[in-house]
Amino acid sequence: MSQYSAHINVKLPADILERVESYRTELERYMKQPVNRSAAVRMLIVSGLESEQKKPKG
């Protein structure tokens, strides 16, 4: 795995962007500090990847 960060651009449909924004506002309430959209997307990606790794293989 690379140790370097990369910038990517992702085009999202409006319905998915609304879900990301909803998650971002939930995070802000929970963390009691500002959360930007990029941080919310990163957390969702990590959560999804971890969830996939926990699934049984086969």
Side-chain angles (χ1 to χ4, degrees):
M1 187 180 304
S2 175
Q3 62 182 352
Y4 302 104
S5 296
H7 294 274
I8 62 170
N9 293 319
V10 179
K11 192 178 252 189
L12 299 174
D15 61 324
I16 294 177
L17 186 56
E18 287 174 19
R19 292 171 68 187
V20 169
E21 190 61 23
S22 176
Y23 179 71
R24 186 195 67 74
T25 57
E26 286 179 34
L27 282 175
E28 280 190 336
R29 280 195 295 270
Y30 175 75
M31 298 176 79
K32 297 183 172 130
Q33 64 182 12
V35 175
N36 63 33
R37 192 178 290 153
S38 294
V41 169
R42 279 192 305 272
M43 292 177 80
L44 287 166
I45 290 171
V46 168
S47 176
L49 290 170
E50 288 174 351
S51 176
E52 282 297 312
Q53 288 177 337
K54 291 177 183 175
K55 284 184 179 178
K57 305 291 181 209

